[in-house]
Amino acid sequence: MSTTTPRPSEHAQDASTTTVRGLKPRQLTMMGLGGAIGAGLFLGSGKGVAVAGPAILVSYIVAGALVVLVMWMIGELSAANPTSGAFSAHAQNAFGPVAGYTVGWLYWVQLAVVTAAEANGAATILTGILGESLAGIAVPPTWVLSVVFMAVFTVVNMFAVSKYGEFEFWFAFLKVGVILAFLVVGILMLVGVVPGHEGGLSNFTDFAPTGIAGVGAGLLIVIFAFGGTEIVAIAAGETADPQKSVATAIRTVAWRIVLFYIGTVFIIVAILEPSQADAPEGPFAAVLNVAGLPAAGSIMALIAVFALLSALNANIYAASRMMHSLAQRDYAPAAIKRTASNNVPRRAVLLTVSFGFVASILEAIFPGKVLDTLLSIVGSTIIIIWISVAASQITLRHRRERENPGVRSTTYRMPLFPFLSYLTVALLVLIVVVAMFDPATRTQLLLTITATALIAVTGIFVTRRTNQPAAVHADVHE
């Protein structure tokens, strides 16, 4: 049994309100990979290539470096305080209850919207593959498939965390296997082994057709594709030996994500013209079509469905654990604290997915309006979350070193502190500045900031009423 000194409010907790450390290190690693490898890579990467041409690689390198830096920060914070509250708990420790409340609820709202969008996106793609009928049987409308997907993964998230982790491990493993196969095919095409393609790197002759503006616009597209890596911090609260497991997962996930993203995009820009990359079937399918592989478009579309469903599964998990953590801190209804006999916060799961069910039905009634509006509001949330991670890591690291001079306070630490920490902040500020020059992203960013401010105002009243202490310690597990 692993215990830590509890917060005052935790003295009243028992096994009916706690989760358990049931995740294995390999499951944690694959969850981190699966969370970041989704539609943003399989479908969205083509939009970046169309905007910037081969220079999109610069955008991916900058965004990849930022992801590695943020992951290192998350690793230090999670090793020092492994809790399902993750960056919400870290923000509370660094800046007080209002900060913890705001970050936690902002993240939950983002994931609740994204899960609905992922279910709807997967249903839309699958409907396109199947057509109106399959073997003479009418294919259900998109909204029905969306509800079915939400129902299936609600059930999956009701399993004990060890079973859930194994399910997500193999789900994410499928995506990783597809990317590796794609890289092999792409390399064979570039060296001229695949018939019908001359090979070579002639596409790089005009490296930056739209100049630095294209690189900046591409960066805004790319940065949001990397969202999902932060699930490692949330899952740390249910991982055996979290200090060691988180350190291993962070090191593994960080370099693999950069390799997968930059490697696949390199293949895409080397084989496709920018105008070809933003094909309706996605850049992966466009590359495989050039390779002459039969039914490449349908195959990759089906894989994109699996990618979206894997991300949907991971996001339901992350959102429910964040809501459970908020309830344990009295920032959500007390009933959500309770867990089932398998220590799963099922009420948090049900409340999370209920939003997706409602959104799917509303999207059917008002097509193209509900989810698009909601996504525009939470579209820049990942930037806010990463800024909170950076600010928390810098504040808490300085605090630990000031209170314990000369003592190595955590098993995993951000390297080259404080230089790399402040570099992370500088890169995040750069992205915000670039976003403000683009009308679409400026509107999205301002909407997210407004939503954040509204949550913070609510947090002022809620945290005063609950009178919670500033510090949130590691989860108590039975």
Side-chain angles (χ1 to χ4, degrees), residues 256-348:
R256 286 183 181 175
I257 286 175
V258 173
L259 172 65
F260 290 155
Y261 268 86
I262 294 178
T264 53
V265 173
F266 178 85
I267 296 296
I268 291 168
V269 299
I271 294 174
L272 302 177
E273 297 291 337
S275 59
Q276 297 175 302
D278 195 16
E281 67 272 22
F284 280 62
V287 169
L288 297 181
N289 282 329
V290 172
L293 296 179
S298 295
I299 293 171
M300 288 310 305
L302 189 59
I303 289 170
V305 171
F306 278 102
L308 281 165
L309 294 180
S310 173
L312 166 65
N313 190 38
N315 286 335
I316 292 174
Y317 168 85
S320 63
R321 268 44 178 194
M322 181 60 75
M323 177 176 274
H324 182 247
S325 171
L326 289 166
Q328 287 184 312
R329 286 175 273 160
D330 297 329
Y331 300 158
I336 301 174
K337 292 181 186 181
R338 299 195 65 82
T339 55
S341 58
N342 61 358
N343 296 99
V344 171
R346 290 183 175 176
R347 294 179 182 182

Side-chain angles (χ1 to χ4, degrees), residues 201-234:
L201 301 173
S202 58
N203 282 1
F204 287 89
T205 303
D206 187 9
F207 183 74
T210 54
I212 190 66
V215 174
L219 181 61
L220 298 176
I221 295 172
V222 168
I223 196 67
F224 301 114
F226 282 105
T229 54
E230 65 281 345
I231 193 175
V232 172
I234 293 174

Side-chain angles (χ1 to χ4, degrees), residues 31 101 182 265 295 461-462:
M31 286 171 68
Y101 177 98
F182 178 81
V265 173
F461 295 100
V462 172

Side-chain angles (χ1 to χ4, degrees), residues 90-463:
H90 306 321
Q92 182 163 334
N93 288 344
F95 305 109
V98 175
Y101 177 98
T102 303
V103 171
W105 276 114
L106 181 66
Y107 187 70
W108 182 87
V109 169
Q110 175 208 348
L111 292 190
V113 173
V114 169
T115 53
E118 286 164 342
N120 184 265
T124 301
I125 296 172
L126 188 58
T127 302
I129 297 173
L130 299 177
E132 295 183 359
S133 64
L134 180 65
I137 301 174
V139 174
T142 298
W143 74 270
V144 173
L145 288 176
S146 179
V147 169
V148 169
F149 289 150
M150 292 295 300
V152 168
F153 289 100
T154 298
V155 173
V156 171
N157 276 270
M158 295 296 184
F159 296 156
V161 71
S162 58
K163 292 182 174 63
Y164 166 85
E166 195 66 14
F167 182 93
E168 181 59 21
F169 173 87
W170 290 108
F171 220 176
F173 188 84
L174 172 65
K175 292 191 289 188
V176 173
V178 168
I179 291 174
L180 291 175
F182 178 81
L183 289 173
V184 171
V185 172
I187 291 171
L188 293 176
M189 293 176 71
L190 292 180
V191 298
V193 173
V194 176
H197 191 270
E198 299 177 355
L201 301 173
S202 58
N203 282 1
F204 287 89
T205 303
D206 187 9
F207 183 74
T210 54
I212 190 66
V215 174
L219 181 61
L220 298 176
I221 295 172
V222 168
I223 196 67
F224 301 114
F226 282 105
T229 54
E230 65 281 345
I231 193 175
V232 172
I234 293 174
E238 294 184 86
T239 304
D241 192 5
Q243 285 80 7
K244 182 179 179 180
S245 297
V246 167
T248 301
I250 293 295
R251 284 192 291 265
T252 304
V253 169
W255 74 262
R256 286 183 181 175
I257 286 175
V258 173
L259 172 65
F260 290 155
Y261 268 86
I262 294 178
T264 53
V265 173
F266 178 85
I267 296 296
I268 291 168
V269 299
I271 294 174
L272 302 177
E273 297 291 337
S275 59
Q276 297 175 302
D278 195 16
E281 67 272 22
F284 280 62
V287 169
L288 297 181
N289 282 329
V290 172
L293 296 179
S298 295
I299 293 171
M300 288 310 305
L302 189 59
I303 289 170
V305 171
F306 278 102
L308 281 165
L309 294 180
S310 173
L312 166 65
N313 190 38
N315 286 335
I316 292 174
Y317 168 85
S320 63
R321 268 44 178 194
M322 181 60 75
M323 177 176 274
H324 182 247
S325 171
L326 289 166
Q328 287 184 312
R329 286 175 273 160
D330 297 329
Y331 300 158
I336 301 174
K337 292 181 186 181
R338 299 195 65 82
T339 55
S341 58
N342 61 358
N343 296 99
V344 171
R346 290 183 175 176
R347 294 179 182 182
V349 172
L350 290 173
L351 282 173
T352 296
V353 299
S354 64
F355 183 94
F357 283 112
V358 172
S360 295
I361 295 171
L362 289 177
E363 182 66 17
I365 300 172
F366 307 102
K369 295 181 179 179
V370 177
L371 288 178
D372 286 350
T373 301
L374 291 173
L375 286 170
S376 66
I377 294 173
V378 302
S380 300
T381 304
I382 192 64
I383 297 297
I384 306 295
I385 298 299
W386 285 0
I387 288 173
S388 79
V389 168
S392 298
Q393 188 268 335
I394 292 171
T395 300
L396 294 176
R397 176 72 168 268
H398 279 308
R399 184 182 299 170
R400 286 194 301 269
E401 293 184 347
R402 183 174 61 252
E403 294 175 352
N404 304 282
V407 177
R408 185 182 179 89
S409 55
T410 62
T411 57
Y412 184 88
R413 304 206 300 174
M414 178 81 172
L416 297 179
F417 181 83
F419 171 74
L420 288 183
S421 295
Y422 287 114
L423 175 62
T424 305
V425 173
L427 289 174
L428 288 168
V429 170
L430 173 65
I431 290 170
V432 171
V433 171
V434 171
M436 295 303 288
F437 282 95
D438 181 87
T441 54
R442 179 172 62 245
T443 300
Q444 188 180 84
L445 183 60
L446 291 175
L447 285 172
T448 301
I449 292 173
T450 300
T452 304
L454 290 174
I455 294 173
V457 170
T458 305
I460 293 173
F461 295 100
V462 172
T463 55

